[in-house]
Amino acid sequence: MNFIKKQTVSSWITLAALVFAIASIAMVFTSFKDIAATSLFNTSITGALKAELVFELIFLVAIIALSEFRLGGLLGDIIEWVVWALKIIVCILPILALIAFLGMRVQGLANLYFSDENIKVTMQATPGYMEAASYAIKTAVIVGVTAVLAIVAAFFRPYKKVKKAAAAEQAA
């Protein structure tokens, strides 16, 4: 119970972002399971997008792990700066991943939802296309939620403020 009380708002939001990052990685890596998705979007998931999501996950875990250790002196300052730098990087990576993912899916979604009526009716009659489009939209939303959570977490301190008396005692 004491461990839960020690957590900051930043830790909880970062943990939520970590959960959504895991979900987004799972969804992106499985987004080309069927032939309909491959034929609708005509592009495969790039290695850069996969790398962005994997690094996002790694950096979120690093932020949570490093935030648990409150060291004094130069090492503590270095760790705090590293955590802040990772928080900035973690804000950028899911946005880049979202842009890349939408760039790979926009043509297929536009053909499916905004084409000529005859083409649209024919394409929407194919259940595989509708499932692939729905999955792409869900994946984009999950990656977007990850980005928003990472940005919100960046505005909170990774450590609780230490009172001066407690800090002097800790240093001694």
Side-chain angles (χ1 to χ4, degrees), residues 23-43:
S24 66
I25 286 175
M27 291 180 82
V28 165
F29 276 64
T30 60
S31 66
F32 270 112
K33 308 191 296 192
D34 58 12
I35 302 300
T38 306
S39 63
L40 176 64
F41 297 119
N42 296 329
T43 57

Side-chain angles (χ1 to χ4, degrees), residues 52-160:
E52 288 168 352
L53 292 172
V54 169
F55 280 124
E56 171 81 9
L57 182 69
I58 291 168
F59 292 156
L60 285 169
V61 169
I63 289 170
I64 291 172
L66 290 174
S67 295
E68 292 302 313
F69 302 107
R70 185 68 179 147
L71 302 174
L74 180 63
L75 184 60
D77 291 341
I78 291 171
I79 289 175
E80 190 169 352
W81 280 99
V82 167
V83 168
W84 283 110
L86 287 175
K87 282 179 166 267
I88 292 169
I89 293 169
V90 161
C91 291
I92 296 168
L93 284 176
I95 293 170
L96 293 175
L98 182 62
I99 291 169
F101 183 77
L102 289 176
M104 287 183 252
R105 300 296 186 253
V106 71
Q107 183 179 3
L109 292 173
N111 287 339
L112 188 62
Y113 292 115
F114 303 110
S115 290
D116 180 67
E117 261 325 294
N118 296 331
I119 297 170
K120 188 165 59 168
V121 168
T122 304
M123 288 182 75
Q124 289 180 356
T126 308
Y129 284 172
M130 294 306 291
E131 288 175 20
S134 173
Y135 199 75
I137 292 169
K138 290 174 190 173
T139 303
V141 168
I142 295 294
V143 174
V145 169
T146 304
V148 168
L149 287 171
I151 290 168
V152 169
F155 284 98
F156 293 98
R157 291 180 135 305
Y159 305 107
K160 286 190 176 182

Side-chain angles (χ1 to χ4, degrees), residues 70 160-171:
R70 185 68 179 147
K160 286 190 176 182
K161 286 187 178 180
V162 179
K163 295 179 183 176
K164 292 193 184 233
E169 183 180 301
Q170 190 179 33

